[in-house]
């Protein structure tokens, strides 16, 4: 009997999707140009959920600059199966366009593979960007003028299946402690609309961290409001601010003994880095909330020792991004250094030192028109880079 190898068209759709969902990022990007059927598969929302399940860890995006041209020159750093990393330039795949208006920006938070870009000086939200698809959609301006830098955030509402942008600002005639808030809803709104005021000032330099329908910030609200928690969040479903319980080491009795570094995720759970305030070169403790919004579910997952290098600063941004098969953890430190850390041996391997800042990112192949369109009859205005 003559044997022949199966061609892609002969394979069931479910098998093809499962194979594509396990491919490295660069290979998967190239597969989008094989045929229309494959391109359509990877652009669906269910493929994004499958891909995140198979590859629950992050890429690292290195962005060189603050103007629109830098959005075309992005380097992707990706962990490999042989416990190393590889990098490639996204501009090599798909080309670029020249008729794109210029603007200057800084990175805001990310949500489901999309990133909110903020205007460099005012920090107003200006663009929602999909770096993998090389698309962005501009946001309308608000009629409410802020006399201080704006706090901007971006998130998804699972109840309506729509994306929303949050804007927290201080109006010129308002009392010093009064911070107003507005929402732009991609599903229904054509302008910004008011929601409840923020309970306290939120540092504009800190992009919020999105998880579980909510945008989170680390902030000591006890100094300016009735809240006693360290973590404040905005719920995109109820459109209200609230507090999230912190780890026990940040309780009122212990708070002065430990400092915090940043929020993050460890395998899909909300995490926070804690530092012993009295130690000379302290370990960084990574605490994880294993059941969202349950105070008792906070556990210390790992402790990262001081690597004894000149550039190390435990108070800078420390993000766990990947887990190697050999037990090592890939860490992005201070946006410029990629390390592999063995928690058993407490040893480091420096994998890459970056000349420009980088961020951890989970990719999405969904078109912005499909992601942001919602139930609107008019599609969002999407620009290709």
């Amino acid at each position: 009997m003559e044997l022949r190898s199966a061609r892609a068209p002969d394979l069931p759709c479910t098998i093809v999707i499962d194979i594509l969902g396990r491919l490295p990022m660069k290979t998967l990007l190239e597969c989008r140009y094989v045929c229309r059927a494959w391109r359509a598969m990877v652009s669906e929302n269910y493929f994004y959920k499958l891909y995140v399940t198979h590859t629950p860890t992050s890429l690292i995006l290195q962005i060189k600059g603050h103007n629109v041209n830098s959005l075309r020159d992005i380097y992707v750093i990706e962990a490999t199966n042989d416990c190393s990393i590889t990098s490639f330039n996204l501009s090599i795949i798909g080309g670029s366009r020249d008729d794109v208006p210029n603007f200057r920006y800084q990175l805001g938070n990310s949500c489901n593979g999309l990133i909110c870009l903020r205007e460099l000086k005012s920090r107003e939200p200006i663009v929602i960007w999909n770096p993998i698809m090389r698309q962005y959609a501009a946001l309308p301006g608000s009629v409410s003028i802020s006399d201080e830098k704006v706090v901007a955030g971006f998130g998804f509402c699972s109840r309506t299946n729509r994306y929303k942008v949050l804007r927290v600002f201080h109006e010129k005639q308002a009392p010093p402690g009064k911070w107003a808030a507005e929402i732009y809803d991609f599903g229904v709104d054509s302008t910004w609309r008011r929601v409840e005021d923020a309970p306290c000032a939120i540092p504009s330099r800190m992009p919020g961290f999105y998880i579980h329908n909510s945008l989170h910030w680390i902030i000591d609200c006890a100094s300016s409001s009735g809240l006693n928690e360290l973590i404040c969040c905005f719920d995109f479903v109820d459109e209200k601010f609230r507090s999230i319980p912190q780890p026990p080491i940040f309780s009122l009795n212990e708070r002065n003994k430990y400092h915090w570094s940043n929020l993050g995720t460890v395998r899909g759970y909300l995490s926070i880095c804690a530092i012993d305030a009295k130690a000379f070169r302290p370990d960084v403790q990574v605490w994880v909330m294993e059941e969202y919004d349950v105070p008792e579910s906070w556990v210390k997952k790992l402790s990262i020792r001081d690597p004894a290098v000149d550039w190390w600063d435990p108070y800078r941004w420390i993000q766990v991004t990947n887990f190697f098969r050999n037990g090592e953890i890939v860490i992005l430190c201070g946006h410029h250094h990629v390390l592999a850390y063995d928690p058993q041996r407490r040893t480091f391997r420096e994998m890459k030192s970056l000349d420009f800042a980088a961020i951890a990112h989970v990719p999405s192949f969904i078109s912005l028109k499909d992601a942001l369109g919602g139930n609107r009859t008019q599609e969002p205005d999407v620009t290709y880079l």
Side-chain angles (χ1 to χ4, degrees), residues 48 109-116 154-157 163 210 361-362 364:
Y48 170 77
N109 74 290
S110 65
C111 171
N112 296 343
L114 310 180
I115 299 175
C116 179
F154 172 59
F156 183 73
C157 174
Y163 286 91
Y210 175 85
H361 182 67
V362 178
S364 170

Side-chain angles (χ1 to χ4, degrees), residues 245-373:
Q246 69 252 347
I249 60 169
F250 291 121
S251 65
L252 290 178
N253 295 330
E254 301 291 330
R255 187 171 296 183
N256 293 332
K257 298 180 182 179
Y258 289 90
H259 295 162
W260 52 265
S261 173
N262 58 270
L263 290 172
T265 57
V266 175
R267 292 183 169 169
Y269 299 107
L270 183 68
S271 68
I272 186 172
C273 293
I275 303 158
D276 188 337
K278 297 182 179 180
F280 171 59
R281 302 203 70 154
D283 286 1
V284 176
Q285 299 179 17
V286 180
W287 286 75
V288 171
M289 182 181 266
E290 295 188 323
E291 187 174 351
Y292 184 72
D293 207 12
V294 176
E296 297 78 15
S297 69
W298 281 107
V299 296
K300 187 173 76 170
K301 276 296 184 182
L302 65 132
S303 182
I304 305 170
R305 77 169 182 84
D306 188 326
V309 291
D310 292 338
W311 53 261
W312 177 259
D313 182 352
Y315 292 94
R316 299 175 69 185
W317 186 275
I318 298 172
Q319 178 72 62
V320 175
T321 65
N322 298 82
F323 293 83
F324 283 147
R325 293 179 178 179
N326 65 359
E328 288 181 319
I329 300 167
V330 181
I331 305 170
L332 177 63
C333 303
H335 298 289
H336 284 81
H337 301 274
V338 183
L339 300 178
Y341 177 66
D342 187 331
Q344 299 298 324
R345 299 178 180 177
R346 292 173 60 85
T347 57
F348 286 90
R349 286 191 295 132
E350 182 163 4
M351 308 189 75
K352 198 171 185 68
S353 182
L354 308 174
D355 51 350
F356 285 85
I359 60 169
H361 182 67
V362 178
S364 170
F365 303 91
I366 303 173
S367 167
L368 278 181
K369 288 185 178 181
D370 296 330
L372 303 180

Side-chain angles (χ1 to χ4, degrees), residues 146-207:
S146 178
D147 61 355
E148 297 189 31
K149 290 183 178 180
V150 169
V151 177
F154 172 59
F156 183 73
C157 174
S158 62
R159 179 184 296 171
T160 61
N161 287 324
R162 295 196 300 262
Y163 286 91
K164 300 178 182 181
V165 184
L166 172 70
R167 178 178 180 266
V168 180
F169 60 98
H170 184 269
E171 294 180 296
K172 291 184 178 180
Q173 305 302 323
K178 181 178 174 59
W179 288 84
E182 292 179 331
I183 282 288
Y184 179 77
D185 189 329
F186 274 99
V188 294
D189 294 339
S190 58
T191 58
W192 294 85
R193 58 181 170 84
R194 286 289 182 101
V195 292
E196 70 171 23
D197 291 349
C200 55
I202 301 171
S204 62
R205 70 182 185 277
M206 296 170 55

